Amino acid sequence: MAIPGVKTAVEWLVSTAPDPEACRWEWERGPLGAALLPAGRGWDVLILPAELGQATLDVLGLLVERPGPVLADFGAARRGGTPMPRLGFFVPPGTASRWIGTGVRGAGRGTWIVVPYPGRAAGGVRWLVLPDGRGTLTDPAVLELAMHEAAASVAHGAAGEEKAGRKS
């Protein structure tokens, strides 16, 4: 079953590759099913820690009809036995070099991102929000607002868990 929009997502992603055919080859025949694509050309990526990243994506869903692409790296951290993926939000080029935020990593010019074929997982990396093929990226100002709301929600949840733990 084909996922709608995959072809346009593929074309948009390979447009940033130094060698589009090599990118396609890696996706189709490479042992990992992933390609390395350069950040800083068509997009930068802001990488958020697991709990904040997921809460931010939830808030973004309330603020915009559709955020830009989002990758999850499930090879990252774990809480107990549960995978807690870091989330990578695709934002306009140049954002990473200007971003200041505790715990947020930026991938911009000079860095490379592991990118699975749209709609597939590769190793521990998979798409949570596929590229739309039109170049839609998450607005950094909206992402920042969503992060503030998410951080407050995460902090409130942690405080509630701490209070519950003292009552037991």
Side-chain angles (χ1 to χ4, degrees), residues 58-135:
D58 292 344
V59 172
L60 269 177
L62 301 172
L63 298 175
V64 296
E65 186 175 322
R66 185 185 194 287
V70 180
L71 278 175
D73 177 1
F74 285 88
R78 293 187 174 272
R79 178 178 289 163
T82 306
M84 297 294 290
R86 288 185 299 240
L87 270 59
F89 293 83
F90 282 51
V91 293
T95 302
S97 65
R98 296 185 306 271
W99 194 269
I100 299 172
T102 304
V104 176
R105 293 178 30 213
R109 184 172 288 295
T111 59
W112 295 76
I113 301 294
V114 174
V115 178
Y117 186 87
R120 297 183 198 154
V125 181
R126 70 180 177 93
W127 292 102
L128 295 183
V129 178
L130 285 172
D132 64 7
R134 296 186 315 259

